[in-house]
Amino acid sequence: LGDTMPSTQLISSLGPPGLNRAIRLHGGRTKVAQELGFELARRPHNYWNNPENIRAELWNFIVKSKDIFTVDATHTESEESSETRLRMPTRKELLSAGRGDIAQAIFRWSSTAELASDLNLDYRPTPWITHRQHAQSENDMSASDKKPRRKSKINR
């Protein structure tokens, strides 16, 4: 469990009888977890509607994975001086790290570029290509690669 508050189901199966009732009487799981210094596995209702929570969760995720999200940004004025910055993770990176909650919150409530700017993160948007653009580029490539068709014997 580490620093995560046990679920009510786990407390019922392993803990003393009446512990879940005592937790409810003392303000509920969220309050008791905060007082004991535990994190909740589930976030409270409407947690992801608060932009500050999104920023905090994203920042904590990036800091814990600092070696992955560090970028060496060289200044243009002098090639010798460089500063290390953190970069904004991609949606794919968040999902593969098991943080779909952050990815979904960013998608629903915030602009990725705006969030990166607020946290002073290096952000390079991934170029998006629509299905129509992809189909058009496929047609353009295939049209240039095709050899001229021979006339059929019927139309001669």
Side-chain angles (χ1 to χ4, degrees), residues 20-153:
N20 278 324
R21 184 172 186 276
I23 290 171
R24 278 193 309 277
L25 292 173
H26 283 87
R29 287 176 38 80
T30 304
K31 184 175 179 187
V32 171
Q34 286 174 343
E35 288 176 7
L36 296 175
F38 288 138
E39 287 186 25
L40 289 173
R42 277 190 133 177
R43 301 294 183 230
H45 185 66
N46 289 329
Y47 178 82
W48 293 109
N49 292 345
N50 184 342
E52 288 303 314
N53 291 337
I54 298 170
R55 283 188 200 97
E57 290 284 340
L58 178 62
W59 183 254
N60 290 336
F61 171 75
I62 292 170
V63 169
K64 285 180 184 175
S65 312
K66 192 179 260 187
D67 55 324
I68 298 170
F69 300 112
T70 301
V71 175
D72 185 32
T74 306
H75 293 289
T76 52
E77 309 93 46
S78 143
E79 292 181 18
E80 293 175 14
S81 69
S82 68
E83 123 185 4
T84 303
R85 291 190 60 193
L86 295 173
R87 72 173 174 81
M88 180 75 176
T90 64
R91 179 176 176 81
K92 188 175 182 179
E93 288 170 329
L94 288 168
L95 293 173
S96 66
R99 294 310 308 259
D101 53 351
I102 297 174
Q104 184 65 22
I106 292 169
F107 176 75
R108 287 179 63 199
W109 301 109
S110 183
S111 154
T112 306
E114 188 178 313
L115 190 57
S117 175
D118 288 351
L119 296 174
N120 196 25
L121 299 171
D122 190 50
Y123 174 64
R124 295 185 185 120
T126 321
W128 287 93
I129 184 165
T130 64
H131 291 291
R132 181 176 291 163
Q133 289 169 327
H134 181 68
Q136 182 62 41
S137 66
E138 288 284 319
N139 289 340
D140 291 346
M141 282 181 17
S142 61
S144 64
D145 293 343
K146 286 183 182 176
K147 296 178 182 175
R149 287 185 153 193
R150 289 179 51 195
K151 290 185 178 178
S152 68
K153 291 180 181 181

Side-chain angles (χ1 to χ4, degrees), residues 1 4-24 28-29 32-33 36 38 40:
L1 290 175
T4 304
M5 178 76 170
S7 67
T8 53
Q9 188 177 24
L10 185 63
I11 291 171
S12 294
S13 64
L14 300 176
L19 184 56
N20 278 324
R21 184 172 186 276
I23 290 171
R24 278 193 309 277
R29 287 176 38 80
V32 171
L36 296 175
F38 288 138
L40 289 173

